[in-house]
């Protein structure tokens, strides 16, 4: 369930574009107006505002925002105004080809998306950056991690809730034979099962594995694999079981300890606001006994804080 709060009666995209242009005029930017508009419009409405802005002022709103805003507020807003698929493609391009390569973030985006999302995202990546996503992955990754990402991107998977109990039991036993039962690990079996099976199937495999061997499949993955390959498998497994629990943990990790991983915080908030942020907030509160809004408020400041809190909304606990 999305956390995005949209007014019951909207102004027209044209009037929103005019209001944004006025917010940019003069000395400094009226960030309050920018946030009040853009943080409370869905992806379709934001796209219409950007069209109207270009038609009215012969200027790209994305470019104007990049010149008017700064810091983490700017980074978050520039991702937010993109359409969801274009946003994922942009994040992947930044993590694979930016000044600092972030393979964990790229792996998270790929392994936490549905097959239909991935197919559209690959097309968008090619159109937006003039290069196949698979090519950039091949250039930046290696070994079993690379094989897992390419398989996960390339193999269409069933997205429904139905599972075949006999196939579930078979896969659980196959994973045991490929890992904990033998000396060494048959990584190909892990890649095949994790990349070809639906989330519902993988969640059932995890339950079957626990029942058969009195040990969690997650622990088996941790003991049998390592590095980014392990991270990819765990991301697939955890998202199969509960995307909300997975992203609640990512957010907590981004904000715990000394300093905040603003890149991770921004990535999760802007990509999940219109999907399942309400569920993420509930899981966050359940696990950490604190509202997500309070945690974000404590770790951020200024317009950056205001913008993120506008997206996630206040928790009601």
């Amino acid at each position: 369930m999305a956390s995005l709060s949209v007014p019951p009666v909207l102004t027209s995209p044209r009037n929103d574009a005019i209001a944004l242009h006025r917010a940019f005029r003069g000395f400094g930017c009226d960030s309050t107006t920018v946030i009040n508009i853009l943080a409370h419009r869905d992806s379709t409405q934001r796209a219409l505002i950007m069209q109207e802005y270009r038609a009215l002022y012969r200027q790209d709103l994305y470019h104007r925002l990049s010149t008017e805003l700064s810091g983490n507020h700017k980074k978050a807003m520039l991702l937010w105004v993109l359409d969801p698929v274009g946003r994922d493609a942009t994040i992947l391009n930044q993590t694979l080809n930016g000044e600092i390569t972030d393979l964990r973030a790229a792996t998270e985006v790929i392994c936490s998306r549905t097959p239909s999302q991935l197919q559209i995202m690959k097309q968008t990546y090619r159109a937006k950056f003039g290069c196949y996503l698979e090519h950039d992955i091949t250039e930046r990754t290696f070994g079993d991690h690379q094989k897992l990402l390419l398989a996960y991107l390339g193999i269409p998977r069933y997205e429904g809730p139905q599972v075949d109990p006999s196939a579930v039991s078979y896969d659980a036993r196959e994973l045991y034979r490929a890992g904990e039962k033998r000396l060494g690990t048959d990584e190909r079996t892990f890649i095949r099962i994790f990349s070809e099976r639906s989330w519902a199937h993988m969640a059932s495999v995890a339950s079957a594995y626990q029942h058969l061997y009195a040990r969690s499949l997650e622990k088996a993955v941790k003991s049998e694999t390592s590095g980014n390959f392990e991270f990819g498998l765990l991301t697939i497994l955890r998202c199969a079981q509960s995307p909300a629990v997975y992203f609640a943990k990512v957010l907590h990790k981004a904000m715990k300890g000394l300093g905040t991983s603003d890149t991770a915080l921004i990535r999760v908030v802007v990509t999940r606001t219109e999907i399942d942020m309400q569920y993420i907030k509930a899981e966050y509160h359940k696990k950490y006994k604190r509202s997500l809004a309070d945690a974000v408020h404590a770790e951020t400041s200024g317009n950056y804080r205001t913008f993120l809190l506008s997206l996630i909304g206040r928790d009601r606990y």
Side-chain angles (χ1 to χ4, degrees):
M1 184 188 299
S3 62
L4 182 67
S5 172
V6 178
V9 180
L10 283 169
T11 53
S12 70
R14 176 168 286 252
N15 285 339
D16 280 342
I18 292 170
L20 286 170
H21 187 66
R22 288 173 179 164
F24 299 144
R25 294 168 63 183
F27 184 73
C29 172
D30 179 3
S31 294
T32 299
T33 295
V34 175
I35 292 171
N36 285 342
I37 294 173
L38 294 176
H40 299 284
R41 304 292 187 270
D42 65 27
S43 59
T44 300
Q45 293 157 354
R46 296 194 304 273
L48 291 172
I49 292 169
M50 294 180 79
Q51 289 178 15
E52 290 289 348
Y53 195 92
R54 187 179 298 108
L56 286 167
Y57 304 110
R58 301 293 187 269
Q59 187 178 28
D60 184 63
L61 178 58
Y62 184 92
H63 175 74
R64 188 63 188 264
L65 287 167
S66 72
T67 62
E68 294 289 342
L69 307 180
S70 61
N72 288 320
H73 180 210
K74 171 181 173 179
K75 293 176 184 177
M77 184 65 80
L78 291 181
L79 281 178
W80 172 248
V81 296
L82 298 172
D83 67 278
V85 177
R87 181 192 302 136
D88 277 350
T90 298
I91 292 172
L92 283 172
N93 185 258
Q94 290 173 349
T95 56
L96 293 171
N97 299 308
E99 293 182 4
I100 301 176
T101 302
D102 188 347
L103 295 181
R104 291 268 170 134
T107 301
E108 176 194 288
V109 171
I110 292 169
C111 294
S112 65
R113 300 312 192 250
T114 65
S116 55
Q117 287 174 326
L118 291 174
Q119 291 306 308
I120 301 172
M121 184 172 66
K122 288 193 296 182
Q123 297 169 12
T124 303
Y125 193 96
R126 169 69 171 166
K128 196 175 181 71
F129 302 109
C131 179
Y132 289 106
L133 174 57
E134 294 90 337
H135 173 271
D136 283 349
I137 288 172
T138 302
E139 289 289 308
R140 300 289 182 268
T141 62
F142 60 92
D144 294 318
H145 178 227
Q146 180 187 100
K147 293 173 185 176
L148 176 66
L149 293 184
L150 292 177
Y152 206 72
L153 279 170
I155 298 174
R157 287 175 299 281
Y158 172 66
E159 296 187 37
Q162 287 80 19
V163 298
D164 179 349
S166 61
V168 166
S169 296
Y170 180 81
D171 280 349
R173 290 185 170 90
E174 280 285 283
L175 288 170
Y176 180 70
R177 286 192 287 267
E180 293 185 301
K181 189 178 181 180
R182 57 176 285 167
L183 182 63
T185 305
D186 177 7
E187 290 86 356
R188 289 179 298 178
T189 296
F190 277 83
I191 293 170
R192 176 175 54 81
I193 292 175
F194 275 70
S195 64
E196 293 181 4
R197 308 298 191 257
S198 70
W199 277 1
H201 182 96
M202 286 306 303
S204 296
V205 168
S207 296
Y209 197 97
Q210 179 73 46
H211 176 74
L212 288 168
Y213 306 112
R215 180 173 169 83
S216 75
L217 180 55
E218 180 168 321
K219 287 183 178 179
V221 169
K222 289 179 178 178
S223 66
E224 296 295 322
T225 62
S226 62
N228 289 327
F229 178 48
E230 174 194 332
F231 180 79
L233 293 174
L234 290 176
T235 300
I236 293 169
L237 181 60
R238 290 166 178 171
C239 286
Q241 294 172 308
S242 173
V245 170
Y246 173 79
F247 284 110
K249 289 180 180 179
V250 174
L251 287 168
H252 179 70
K253 184 177 180 180
M255 292 185 284
K256 76 174 184 179
L258 186 64
T260 300
S261 174
D262 291 293
T263 301
L265 179 59
I266 290 168
R267 182 178 68 251
V268 174
V269 171
V270 300
T271 59
R272 308 310 294 188
T273 288
E274 294 183 275
I275 300 175
D276 55 0
M277 183 55 73
Q278 293 288 24
Y279 298 125
I280 293 170
K281 291 194 294 182
E283 293 295 342
Y284 191 96
H285 187 269
K286 178 180 177 181
K287 184 169 182 63
Y288 304 109
K289 312 304 178 190
R290 184 187 191 187
S291 77
L292 178 58
D294 285 346
V296 171
H297 187 277
E299 295 294 327
T300 58
S301 62
N303 293 319
Y304 174 45
R305 170 199 284 167
T306 302
F307 179 57
L308 291 187
L309 291 178
S310 295
L311 295 183
I312 68 173
R314 288 289 179 179
D315 296 327
R316 296 183 179 91
Y317 296 111

